[in-house]
Every structure is written in structure tokens, then in C-alpha cells.
Amino acid sequence: MSYAIELDRVSKIYQGKKAVDQLSLKVEKGTVIALLGPNGAGKTTTISMILGLKQPTSGTIKLLGGSPKDIKVRNRIGAMLQDVSVIDNLKVAETIELFRNYYSNPLSLQELLRISGLEKEKDKMAASLSGGQQRRLGFALAAAGDPEIIFLDEPTVGMDVTSRQMFWDTIRSMADKGRTVVLTTHYLEEADSLADRIVVINQGKVVADGSPSQIKAETTGRVISFTAGASVTNDQLQALPGVIDVEWNGRRVKLHSRDTDRLIITLIEQRFEMKDIEIQSGGLEDAFQAIVHSTN
Amino acid sequence: MNQSTSMKATLAQCKAELLRTVRNRRFVIFSFIMPVVFYFIFTNTVGDNVQVGNVDWKAYYLMSMTVYGVVGASLTSYAQRLSRERSQGWLSLLKITPLPSWSYVLSKVLSQAVINLAIIIVMFVVGGVFKDVNLSASTWIACGLFIFIGGFSFMGLGTLIGSIKNADFVQVLSMICYMGLSILGGLWFPTDTMSSTMKTIAHLTPTYRLGQGAWDAVAGVSINWTGVGILVAYVVVFLAISSYIMKKQEAV
């Protein structure tokens, strides 16, 4: 199995402070992976090292099996970085054309204008675009070479709701074409709705890694709630396998569990008196907070 | 990546550089409008055929203003484009594209060559057509070639100024260098009108040395190798300092 990205015990030390600490990560091709973490967690530093813009203090990095500094590898990737402004005195279409010319198999100008939603703006000066439109232009440039891996560092910051929705659809269609997408975000909703895999980074380390539902389950777990009949007692519920916590609110019961699927079967098999059964997953927000707090 | 993609990328990069330059108002003002306007004003007020070291003023001053335009293109527009690219993250973005770094540098040099050549041709046509500056073909070519080749030394200075990341500061600094060096180097008023101290200072400036080659050619004086040496020394120093600064900025 060849991986799209392989990091082996990568560290980055800035002035004695560890920004990234012995981070190992393997990303399979075709994955949409979200790096999630609070500000200063080391997400952008990690991306910069994968792209070869920063040199790791120790450890090894492989991008598409090679070095990010290799021009052949760069021909197969694209990236949307933070804090990159548009180039002065060029129009939108001219900027995209320029980038298309860097790659051996670029997407067409029309296609790039379409996926970035800039068809109407193509003859405008890039510098005159709004913040959100400039981000979308950044996306068009990242996609210009029809990359196998696309890196998106906080892509939707500054985008309005419509732009964001359109952007998500584009990323999903890239994923459908088998592209690998690496995004960093602090919008949990974004990670939840786009990613197949979420890697939570805090203080330069991976603190959680899994599918969005696994991440949620691993931390706060899920909740089964129901209105209990008169025969149900607290002790009975506490004794059930897999129950972490029981909350009572009148006759309304909330059971917290890591594995609600098995718990609901047990509840039914044991013929508990239940009405209005609901199963909820804890929000990713809660999960994220829990992970970050436990590692701080 | 194959050869043809690199070529295509270099050409596209040149085209973009040229578009950005031509659309830069400051470039058009300082490299075309100002030299032409100055040329007409000072030839009309001083007199076309006043002699400056055995040369007609209109021919002498044409060379001065051509150098002035070429210097301006490197110091104002080139240095500022460079600084913006660095401070606004553009260079980082380019580093992850397959554009080879040699292609980036080559396209900067090529596009600056086209720009400098355009300034020289426009100025020479203006002088020849409107002021009847009458030089032999070989003198025109010698003057043009000297300014063209020597003009790259100001690309060195532009690179040095452009390595500073604060674009506002670059704008001010490049203006000060541009005006300062132009006046000190005798591009506005010939060094013959200066005091001896000023003249000594003037002879150390790269602007004077770039003008000197053309002035000498117009006067039929053979090339001054000390002047060429000083110009070359400036290029080496400018490029050495700027590459040191850029390496230092990158060593993160």
C-alpha cells in the first residue's frame, strides 16, 4: 500500500519550543482528512512541513512517496495557504491562466472558474475581489493542476454561508474523483460534514484519530433517552453493561454509553418499560472540547 | 515535468510580469512620462545645441533621461513587485507549484530586459524624431547597448530593496534611492555643473557610471573601464547582500 502522505516521528522546534512533537501520521490515497485543533496546535506548521515550506527539526516526511521539493511531486499537488494575498495588477482569469501554465495537465480555465464560482468575476482585477472571493480564487489556483492531493489550510475563513456551501460541494466532488483532500479547520461543522477521517492535534501531538463518529463516540459517547415506566429503577440501569452514566429528570432517563447500539439491544431484550426512545450522538463540538481539555 | 512545460511556464511568467509592470501607474509615470517631459522641458529651457563637453545638450540629455527611465523601472516597479510577492505569501505559494526556481528568476530577468529595451527605444525615437538628435547608427547602438546591459546593475539594487518585506517602506526607500541617485549621479543636471566635492561623490554612484558609458559614446570617447568596473562591483555587492538577506529570511 502506498500512502499519499507519510510522517514518521516528525518534530519542529522553534526557539526551544516544540511546535510539533514526534508526530506520526499515514494518510491513504482518496481520503478526506481534517486536521482539527485549537489555534497554535501545530496544524499549519505540520502542513508547511508536508509541503516542504518548512524543514522538520527531526523525523521524515514523504509526499506521494517522494520529497515535496521534487518538481514531479509538486506537479501532482495543489495548496491553498493562509495569509496569501492575490497578485497585484492581474485579472482573475489571467491569474488562473498563469497557474495553469505551471502544470503539465491542468484543468481548463472554464472548469476552474466554475468550481470556484468566479465566472462573473473573471475579467475583474484579482485585487478588487472581496475577501471570500479571493479565497475562492486561491482555491482555483490550488486546483489548477488537477492535483492528486489538495491541501486546504483554513479554506472557508472569510467565506459567507453560500460560498461555504458551494465550496463543500466542490470538495466532495473532488473526493468522489478519488482525490486526497487535507484540510485544517477550526469549524467543527466543516470537519464533520466533509471528512472521512479527523485527526485532532493539540500541542503538536495527535490526540485523537478516527472517523467523525468514532471521535464523537470515543469521547462523550452517545446518549439513549426514554421515558421510563414505573418498574424501572436506577440500580437496574446502572448495572447494565456499557452504561457510563445515568441522568434522571422526572421519569425521563438519559443513559450515556460508548456503544449505544449494543445498549439498545440489551434494553429491549430485558424488556424494560420504555416510551419515546431517542438515540443521540454527542456533538463533535463536545468531543473536541473534551479531547482538548483532557490533553491540556 | 518536461522541458516544454517549463518553457510554457517561463513564458507565462514573463507575460504576467510584463502585464503587471505596464499596468503599474508608477512605472508608466516614472519610466516614460517623466523622462520624456523632463527631456522636453530641459532641452527647451537650456537650448538644444548648447555644448556639454563637446556634445549637443539635446543628445547628452537624451542619454541622461533614458538612463533615468531605466533606473526607475528597476527601482520603483521591479523592487515593489518583488517586495509584494515576498510579503504577501505569493512566493511561498509559488514554491509549492512545479515552477522551477530558475524559471522564476529567468522570467524576472527576461521581462526586465524587455521593459528596459522598450524604454530605450521609446526615448531614442522621441529624441531622434522630435529633437533631431543626429547620431550615427553605430553610436545609437553603442549607447543603447551600454544602457541596456548596464541597466541590469539596477536590477541588482532593485532586488536588494525588494528583499525588504515591508512594502510601504520599500516604496519610500526606492523613491529616495531613485531620486537621490539620479540627482547625485548627474542625470538631472550634468556633473560639470557640480562643485568638485559633489563631482567626487557623483563619480562613485552607479547612475553616473551608467550614464557615462552613453555620454562617452555620444562624444566619441572610448569606453571608460574604471566606470564599467565600478558598475560591475555594484552588481556583485547588491546581489551578494540580497541573496544573504533572502537566505536568512528563509532559514526557518
Side-chain angles (χ1 to χ4, degrees), chain A residues 60-237:
Chain A
T60 55
I61 294 173
K62 272 189 189 165
L63 183 59
L64 288 165
S67 157
K69 294 198 172 133
D70 183 350
I71 284 176
K72 287 197 199 87
V73 171
R74 288 198 228 149
N75 194 35
R76 295 160 65 195
I77 63 167
M80 187 174 162
L81 304 173
Q82 281 190 83
D83 305 321
V84 174
S85 180
V86 296
I87 203 148
D88 54 306
N89 285 318
L90 282 187
K91 292 175 183 168
V92 170
E94 288 166 353
T95 311
I96 296 176
E97 257 325 311
L98 175 63
F99 267 64
R100 289 186 64 245
N101 276 299
Y102 296 157
Y103 298 90
S104 54
N105 295 305
L107 291 175
S108 74
L109 175 64
Q110 282 316 313
E111 172 77 358
L112 290 166
L113 287 169
R114 190 185 59 76
I115 60 174
S116 57
L118 291 170
E119 284 143 315
K120 280 192 209 120
E121 285 80 15
K122 75 181 170 77
D123 292 320
K124 277 194 186 170
M125 283 292 172
S128 72
L129 297 178
S130 72
Q133 288 170 331
Q134 292 195 1
R135 295 296 286 161
R136 285 192 267 145
L137 176 57
F139 176 71
L141 302 182
D146 196 13
E148 288 167 47
I149 311 181
I150 190 163
F151 292 85
L152 308 165
D153 198 1
E154 300 278 357
T156 57
V157 169
M159 279 191 195
D160 58 38
V161 182
T162 340
S163 290
R164 190 174 299 166
Q165 206 59 50
M166 194 195 81
F167 188 75
W168 288 1
D169 290 340
T170 309
I171 292 180
R172 284 194 196 100
S173 71
M174 293 193 88
D176 290 342
K177 284 203 294 180
R179 304 294 191 243
T180 309
V181 182
V182 181
L183 71 143
T184 72
T185 181
H186 62 260
Y187 291 118
L188 298 154
E189 193 198 349
E190 190 160 282
D192 196 8
S193 95
L194 287 176
D196 327 306
R197 180 175 168 197
I198 295 178
V199 173
V200 183
I201 295 180
N202 195 26
Q203 298 182 340
K205 287 182 179 156
V206 173
V207 292
D209 185 350
S211 69
S213 50
Q214 277 169 342
I215 297 271
K216 285 181 242 178
E218 265 174 36
T219 51
T220 48
R222 290 162 175 253
V223 176
I224 299 177
S225 49
F226 54 87
T227 307
S231 64
V232 181
T233 67
N234 188 36
D235 290 344
Q236 284 175 321
L237 293 175

Side-chain angles (χ1 to χ4, degrees), chain A residues 69-71 74 102, chain B residues 1 6 9-10 13 17 78 82 85-86 91 93-110 246-247 250:
Chain A
K69 294 198 172 133
D70 183 350
I71 284 176
R74 288 198 228 149
Y102 296 157
Chain B
M1 288 301 289
S6 296
T10 309
Q13 190 73 12
E17 291 284 349
Y78 168 72
L82 206 61
E85 280 169 23
R86 304 175 63 75
L91 213 56
L93 195 60
L94 285 186
K95 269 188 207 153
I96 55 169
T97 69
L99 181 74
S101 51
W102 62 258
S103 160
Y104 174 78
V105 175
L106 180 67
S107 59
K108 290 266 183 233
V109 176
L110 284 180
M246 288 182 186
K247 281 227 174 73
E250 268 169 40

Side-chain angles (χ1 to χ4, degrees), chain B:
Chain B
M1 288 301 289
N2 51 42
Q3 212 68 36
S4 75
T5 311
S6 296
M7 279 308 297
K8 185 175 68 124
T10 309
L11 282 178
Q13 190 73 12
C14 282
K15 192 180 149 205
E17 291 284 349
L18 289 174
L19 273 175
R20 286 170 66 203
T21 309
V22 172
R23 284 180 185 153
N24 182 343
R25 253 185 236 118
R26 199 169 277 120
F27 163 75
V28 177
I29 292 171
F30 288 109
S31 290
F32 285 103
I33 297 177
M34 219 170 136
V36 171
V37 171
F38 265 45
Y39 181 63
F40 282 113
I41 293 176
F42 286 99
T43 46
N44 287 341
T45 52
V46 175
D48 287 353
N49 300 316
V50 171
Q51 295 293 299
V52 185
N54 299 327
V55 176
D56 287 351
W57 171 242
K58 63 181 181 185
Y60 183 95
Y61 204 55
L62 182 64
M63 297 308 147
S64 307
M65 283 299 107
T66 307
V67 170
Y68 179 70
V70 166
V71 171
S74 287
L75 291 194
T76 58
S77 82
Y78 168 72
Q80 284 165 26
R81 265 183 291 143
L82 206 61
S83 164
R84 282 223 190 93
E85 280 169 23
R86 304 175 63 75
S87 61
Q88 306 196 338
W90 199 260
L91 213 56
S92 311
L93 195 60
L94 285 186
K95 269 188 207 153
I96 55 169
T97 69
L99 181 74
S101 51
W102 62 258
S103 160
Y104 174 78
V105 175
L106 180 67
S107 59
K108 290 266 183 233
V109 176
L110 284 180
S111 51
Q112 201 62 30
V114 171
I115 290 161
N116 289 351
L117 199 59
I119 295 170
I120 294 168
I121 291 172
V122 167
M123 288 305 294
F124 282 11
V125 166
V126 166
V129 171
F130 296 100
K131 283 283 174 185
D132 263 338
V133 174
N134 202 357
L135 302 174
S136 69
S138 61
T139 310
W140 280 121
I141 291 170
C143 293
L145 217 55
F146 191 88
I147 298 175
F148 178 69
I149 295 168
F152 286 107
S153 59
F154 286 89
M155 229 188 136
L157 180 57
T159 308
L160 178 57
I161 297 174
S163 67
I164 299 166
K165 282 192 177 173
N166 184 333
D168 293 330
F169 181 60
V170 166
Q171 198 164 319
V172 175
L173 185 67
S174 57
M175 264 308 150
I176 292 173
C177 286
Y178 180 32
M179 294 305 163
L181 286 173
S182 298
I183 295 170
L184 277 179
L187 298 182
W188 284 18
F189 313 106
T191 50
D192 283 358
T193 63
M194 293 178 176
S195 69
S196 64
T197 325
M198 286 304 289
K199 218 180 264 184
T200 314
I201 297 172
H203 289 178
L204 293 173
T205 60
T207 31
Y208 173 78
R209 294 302 176 178
L210 184 56
Q212 189 188 25
W215 295 322
D216 283 352
V218 174
V221 177
S222 63
I223 197 160
N224 179 324
W225 289 106
T226 317
V228 173
I230 291 175
L231 214 47
V232 170
Y234 270 115
V235 180
V236 173
V237 171
F238 292 151
L239 288 181
I241 302 175
S242 47
S243 64
Y244 172 77
I245 293 176
M246 288 182 186
K247 281 227 174 73
K248 210 157 182 205
Q249 285 172 345
E250 268 169 40
V252 186

